Every structure is written in structure tokens, then in C-alpha cells.
């Protein structure tokens, strides 16, 4: 059974930073493309960043230069470093593999 457990969210002021983690189990982590997706209040799911097994990355334009995705294939863990956070980054953040998401971790950016 695929399991994805996110952590690291919280309340942060604009301009602040957070590091999200996602521990994966139940599948061969290092073989899979992994994603971070988010859902802001009243909005649909948005793919924020993607990383392939060899470390190639993609980011949605709104987070380029501010967020960094990475993975530790030994620890089966996915990360998302969030810097220079803005109020519009407020959302529930999920890690995902194929069509499966974890339970999410809330990021709230507010002064």
C-alpha cells in the first residue's frame, strides 16, 4: 500500500521560509516521478513542482526562484524548501505519486 506522510507546514510571516518533508513507503521510491501539489482555499489543485528519479526538476512559474524540490532516494523522502513566502502561497500542500496524495500539510503565510 502506497503511503505518503507530509510534515513541516505551519504559520509563517511573508518573506519567511519553511521546509516540507514527505516520507514515502509501499513502492519503489527511487523509480518514480514525485510531485508537490497544493490547494488554496476555494481553488483547485495546482502542481507546484515535479522531480524525476534522476533529479530533474520542474516548477510552476509562480514559485520559480523561491521553492526548491529535492529527494533522498535512500531515505525515500521528498522535500520542498519554501523561501520568500507570499500570502498567495497559503494552501494545503500534498506530495503525490501518480494519482495518490498524502494527507497534506498546511502552509499559512500571514502577518
Amino acid at each position: 500500500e502506497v503511503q505518503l506522510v507530509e510534515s513541516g507546514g505551519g504559520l509563517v510571516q511573508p518573506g519567511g521560509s519553511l521546509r516540507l518533508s514527505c516520507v514515502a513507503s509501499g513502492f519503489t521510491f527511487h523509480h518514480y516521478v514525485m510531485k508537490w501539489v497544493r490547494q488554496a482555499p476555494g481553488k483547485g489543485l495546482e502542481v507546484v513542482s515535479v522531480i524525476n528519479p534522476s533529479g530533474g526538476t520542474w516548477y510552476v512559474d509562480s514559485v520559480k526562484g523561491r521553492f526548491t524540490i529535492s529527494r533522498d532516494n535512500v531515505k525515500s523522502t521528498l522535500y520542498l524548501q519554501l523561501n520568500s513566502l507570499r500570502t498567495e502561497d497559503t494552501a494545503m500542500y500534498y506530495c503525490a505519486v501518480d494519482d495518490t496524495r498524502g494527507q497534506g500539510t498546511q502552509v499559512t503565510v500571514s502577518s
Side-chain angles (χ1 to χ4, degrees):
E1 177 189 4
V2 172
Q3 287 197 322
L4 301 166
V5 180
E6 302 94 335
S7 62
L11 173 64
V12 63
Q13 291 186 339
S17 297
L18 287 171
R19 189 192 195 205
L20 308 184
S21 299
C22 171
V23 178
S25 61
F27 63 103
T28 309
F29 180 80
H30 63 271
H31 284 175
Y32 283 82
V33 172
M34 298 296 298
K35 297 177 284 190
W36 285 100
V37 301
R38 66 185 178 185
Q39 187 164 27
K43 297 190 176 181
L45 281 173
E46 176 184 44
V47 179
V48 175
S49 186
V50 180
I51 186 167
N52 67 24
S54 59
T57 59
W58 174 89
Y59 300 92
V60 69
D61 283 349
S62 60
V63 309
K64 282 181 181 177
R66 301 188 298 120
F67 291 8
T68 304
I69 191 171
S70 61
R71 65 192 297 161
D72 185 329
N73 288 334
V74 174
K75 295 182 178 180
S76 296
T77 302
L78 180 71
Y79 302 99
L80 188 67
Q81 178 68 40
L82 291 69
N83 295 331
S84 303
L85 280 160
R86 305 169 180 168
T87 55
E88 55 263 39
D89 295 318
T90 294
M92 185 71 79
Y93 284 71
Y94 303 90
C95 71
V97 60
D98 293 338
D99 294 329
T100 301
R101 287 183 279 150
Q103 85 289 347
T105 187
Q106 177 68 39
V107 172
T108 302
V109 185
S110 175
S111 55

